Amino acid sequence: MAVPLFDTRTPLAPLREALAAKAVEVLDAGNYILGPEVAAFERELAGYLGAPAALGVANGTDALVLALRAMGVGPADDVVVPSFTFYASAEAIALIGANPVFCDIDPVTYCVTPDTVRAALTPQTKVVMAVHLFGNIAPVAEIEALGVPVLEDAAQAAGSRTADGRHAGALGSAATFSFFPSKNLGAFGDGGAIATADEALAETVAMLRFHGSRDKVTFELVGHNSRLDELQAALLRLELPLLDAWCDGRRAAAAHYAEAGLAELARLPEPIDGCDPAWHLYVIRHERADELAAALTATGIGCKAYYRVPLHRQAAMRPWSEVELPGTDEAARTHLAIPMSPVLTREQAAAVVAAVRDADLG
Ligand SMILES: Cc1ncc(COP(=O)(O)O)c(C=O)c1O
């Protein structure tokens, strides 16, 4: 049985007619930038997260750039960031002239720990960027207890909850989301958001996304043109009420893998501190990950090594590459994403596990 790495279309099928009708409504309304749909989506997203404010922006990368700037990060400041994450996490820091200071992760959870962050702090550290990688939830409160504000990169963690029921994205000083189509909450193009409880920070983000202006005629900051499109916001509003059910589907998929005996064949990702991750990607570890990938691919099972070269070893990050990160190196060498989606069935999970077993790689 062939199983795709992810499935963005099947979960959307029940919404097809509503999405089409909404798209026509927005086209007819003729209000395409920062209109009522964006305002409503921002209210609804904030309500869902339990965060006082959410602001839509053009994508998850811009969300990081604007949030960092609104948190006061500028040239020559240090921002602690994991090396085992998508490139945008560190790129956003370098883009505003600050220094990404790479810290290690725990390869069992793929996230930073208070100890790995502590080891990377410098007198110039302005912010710690805690990435909730693959849907796991980095320990934000413990990191803030070190005395530095935390920016949550929650691009991969929409719908993940802590053990006490709080949402990823409502834990730190600010948080960012990506609505890239394959994300847990995916748009039909690019989109992103910033959530925060800090009113002044929200006000600065609102200015930064519109050229540093409050009123569109006077300009207080050198800003950006970074808005969530009205059309994307309108469609995301229809999806948001389904997000929890989709996340439950992701959790069920992880349970199917466990029931089928995957833990006997590979190391499984572990939730941090009893949290309930909405696994965006389901990423196992295996000593012979590339051979396993070749065997799975040959049987039609989708799989991918997302971060085989961690960020501190990427060419563009050379100025900040002088660090030893053993947990990162181990995760980079051994990780492999296997199929995950809200609609992954027990039979599909069993087929994936059978293919891992048949690969017979020990
Ligand atoms: C961890 C992480 N941070 C940031 C981003 C950037 O989001 P976007 O692609 O919407 O710019 C992504 C998305 O791919 C991501 O996975």
Side-chain angles (χ1 to χ4, degrees):
M1 181 196 287
V3 186
L5 183 57
F6 50 82
D7 180 353
T8 51
R9 293 175 127 222
T10 309
L12 289 173
L15 281 180
R16 198 171 183 283
E17 278 168 25
L19 290 165
K22 190 58 147 175
V24 170
E25 191 188 311
V26 173
L27 296 187
D28 287 347
N31 194 349
Y32 305 131
I33 301 287
L34 295 184
E37 296 286 350
V38 171
F41 175 66
E42 289 175 342
R43 277 195 307 276
E44 289 159 10
L45 179 64
Y48 171 82
L49 294 172
L55 292 118
V57 295
N59 54 65
T61 309
D62 278 8
L64 288 169
V65 169
L66 270 60
L68 287 166
R69 287 194 60 192
M71 291 174 84
V73 177
D77 288 331
D78 287 349
V79 177
V80 174
V81 63
S83 170
F84 191 76
T85 174
F86 180 57
Y87 183 62
S89 306
E91 183 184 37
I93 299 165
L95 258 172
I96 60 175
N99 297 307
V101 179
F102 290 112
C103 74
D104 212 355
I105 54 147
D106 177 352
V108 173
T109 65
Y110 300 113
C111 287
V112 301
T113 72
D115 284 342
T116 65
V117 168
R118 190 185 295 108
L121 293 176
T122 71
Q124 289 75 43
T125 303
K126 202 75 180 249
V127 165
V128 173
M129 188 189 294
V131 181
H132 300 315
L133 203 68
F134 304 145
N136 218 341
I137 304 187
V140 174
E142 288 94 322
I143 296 169
E144 279 198 325
L146 300 174
V148 193
V150 168
L151 171 60
E152 300 171 71
D153 180 345
Q156 299 188 9
S160 293
R161 291 185 300 253
T162 61
D164 59 356
R166 291 183 308 143
H167 276 275
L171 308 173
S173 296
T176 62
F177 289 91
S178 164
F179 305 125
F180 185 82
S182 64
K183 293 289 194 278
N184 292 0
L185 181 65
F188 298 82
D190 279 310
I194 296 159
T196 183
D198 181 331
E199 264 177 48
L201 198 152
E203 209 174 302
T204 306
V205 168
M207 282 202 285
L208 285 173
R209 75 175 169 182
F210 201 110
H211 305 285
S213 179
R214 286 174 210 269
D215 58 6
K216 304 179 187 174
V217 286
T218 55
F219 300 91
E220 295 170 48
L221 300 167
V222 174
H224 305 253
N225 175 356
S226 183
R227 280 96 53 152
L228 178 65
D229 288 346
E230 184 77 352
L231 185 59
Q232 299 297 350
L235 302 179
L236 284 165
R237 286 186 70 200
L238 294 176
E239 292 185 28
L240 188 58
L242 296 189
L243 177 58
D244 279 342
W246 289 340
C247 291
D248 286 343
R250 292 176 180 277
R251 294 180 183 108
H256 296 330
Y257 279 134
E259 280 160 26
L262 186 57
E264 295 150 24
L265 305 165
R267 277 158 294 175
L268 309 188
E270 289 182 16
I272 296 174
D273 290 341
C275 78
D276 199 7
W279 296 113
H280 168 57
L281 297 171
Y282 200 72
V283 181
I284 59 173
R285 285 181 298 137
H286 195 284
E287 281 305 314
R288 295 163 72 183
D290 287 334
E291 288 166 82
L292 179 58
L296 294 182
T297 305
T299 57
I301 306 290
C303 60
K304 185 168 169 176
Y306 276 84
Y307 313 128
R308 199 58 94 222
V309 180
L311 301 187
H312 71 292
R313 301 191 190 284
Q314 296 286 351
M317 294 289 128
R318 208 166 284 136
W320 306 285
S321 62
E322 290 293 315
V323 276
E324 286 299 319
L325 305 173
T328 297
D329 286 338
E330 191 201 314
R333 182 175 59 80
T334 59
H335 79 286
L336 189 68
I338 59 173
M340 170 51 69
S341 82
V343 291
L344 190 98
T345 63
R346 181 173 279 116
E347 292 69 33
Q348 286 176 313
V352 174
V353 175
V356 175
R357 189 170 283 116
D358 290 349
D360 197 20
L361 292 169

